[in-house]
Amino acid sequence: MKLGLTSSAPWAVSFCYQASLTQASRILGRLQMKSMDSDYSLGSLEGLSAFRSLEELILDNNLLGDDLVLPGLPQLHTLTLNKNRITDLEPLLDHLAEVTPALEYLSLLGNVACPNELVSLEKDEEDYKRYRCFVLHKLPNLKFLDARKVTRQERKEALVRGAFMKVVKPKASSGDLAASASPEMHHYTPLPSASRELTSHRGVLGKCRYVYYGKNSEGNRFIRDDQL
């Protein structure tokens, strides 16, 4: 286990560690820690309950998913969960509203639950605006969301339309699951299977019942009669 500790005052302690929270809590649980920063592939927050005095919690670049559970952190005002595995937005926001009542800064960039071009090129600015509106509806005390300050206009819109901005997480059907399990679906090609191998150089022929008379050819407009 590697654990680094820095402190400028007894009430302001931050650390980065290469260990589980449970291991860290055994060593530092008695300290009134105010700030914690971990980006070492955490998949669980077990042991975090030993640090209920936290005001800032940085959990970027971990493996935290939709089963994320925080203990009650009444003083926490800053929480970043960038680049994790969070896909379902509403349960997370409901949980944060319950356990982090003082939260003012939240960042979810790099998660599927935060729709923008960092996650998918299919998402655009309108998707992100709807996401912000819904988050502010659920957490109206936020001052910053992701990398942007919350504006007065966003607050007004969240009050009026926020409840209708919910994005429902699609459920995978049995057909979708079967398709994703098929290896051919991951490498789609319009060519026949006989022409897919790089070592196969055989041509592929076909027939059709179409007769071309040349009546609609655009090229014929530029040929004079004496040139025929």
Side-chain angles (χ1 to χ4, degrees):
M1 178 179 70
K2 296 181 180 179
L3 189 150
L5 178 66
T6 61
S7 173
S8 58
W11 49 266
V13 184
S14 63
F15 69 92
C16 300
Y17 54 88
Q18 184 177 328
S20 69
L21 283 171
T22 302
Q23 291 173 309
S25 65
R26 295 170 185 162
I27 302 173
L28 303 173
R30 295 182 180 182
L31 298 176
Q32 295 297 309
M33 300 189 64
K34 301 295 182 181
S35 179
M36 180 183 295
D37 184 344
S38 169
D39 60 356
Y40 190 72
S41 301
L42 284 179
S44 170
L45 297 180
E46 184 179 357
L48 190 61
S49 57
F51 308 102
R52 293 185 181 273
S53 61
L54 283 173
E55 297 179 2
E56 181 182 67
L57 181 57
I58 313 298
L59 296 172
D60 301 340
N61 303 302
N62 285 291
L63 305 175
L64 302 172
D66 293 331
D67 56 350
L68 179 151
V69 177
L70 290 169
L73 300 171
Q75 301 177 49
L76 191 73
H77 57 70
T78 298
L79 173 64
T80 70
L81 292 162
N82 300 317
K83 295 186 178 180
N84 277 277
R85 297 181 176 180
I86 301 168
T87 62
D88 205 354
L89 183 61
E90 187 173 21
L92 172 66
L93 299 179
D94 289 337
H95 179 56
L96 294 180
E98 179 181 355
V99 300
T100 58
L103 193 63
E104 296 180 345
Y105 180 100
L106 174 66
S107 187
L108 299 173
L109 293 171
N111 290 281
V112 174
C114 176
N116 58 31
E117 293 183 358
L118 291 175
V119 176
S120 173
L121 294 178
E122 297 178 358
K123 304 300 181 181
D124 56 24
E125 185 64 19
E126 290 302 316
D127 294 312
Y128 185 67
K129 286 181 179 179
R130 288 192 291 271
Y131 150 83
R132 286 180 67 89
C133 190
F134 185 66
V135 173
L136 294 175
H137 164 69
K138 289 288 188 177
L139 302 173
N141 294 327
L142 288 182
K143 295 181 179 180
F144 280 85
L145 176 57
D146 301 329
R148 300 185 189 177
K149 184 177 181 179
V150 176
T151 65
R152 185 176 302 177
Q153 180 60 34
E154 284 182 314
R155 293 191 187 281
K156 290 181 180 179
E157 188 169 354
L159 288 173
V160 177
R161 303 175 54 197
F164 306 102
M165 295 293 105
K166 176 182 176 181
V167 179
V168 179
K169 180 182 179 182
K171 295 182 179 179
S173 63
S174 57
D176 294 335
L177 294 175
S180 62
S182 174
E184 293 187 0
M185 295 300 294
H186 297 289
H187 304 284
Y188 171 76
T189 172
L191 299 177
S193 57
S195 63
R196 290 180 186 173
E197 296 295 332
L198 295 177
T199 57
S200 175
H201 302 289
R202 293 177 298 174
V204 179
L205 303 177
K207 295 181 179 180
C208 67
R209 294 187 178 184
Y210 176 77
V211 180
Y212 174 68
Y213 294 100
K215 294 180 179 180
N216 299 319
S217 174
E218 294 293 326
N220 290 342
R221 296 189 306 168
F222 306 102
I223 301 175
R224 298 193 304 270
D225 292 340
D226 60 353
Q227 292 177 329
L228 296 176

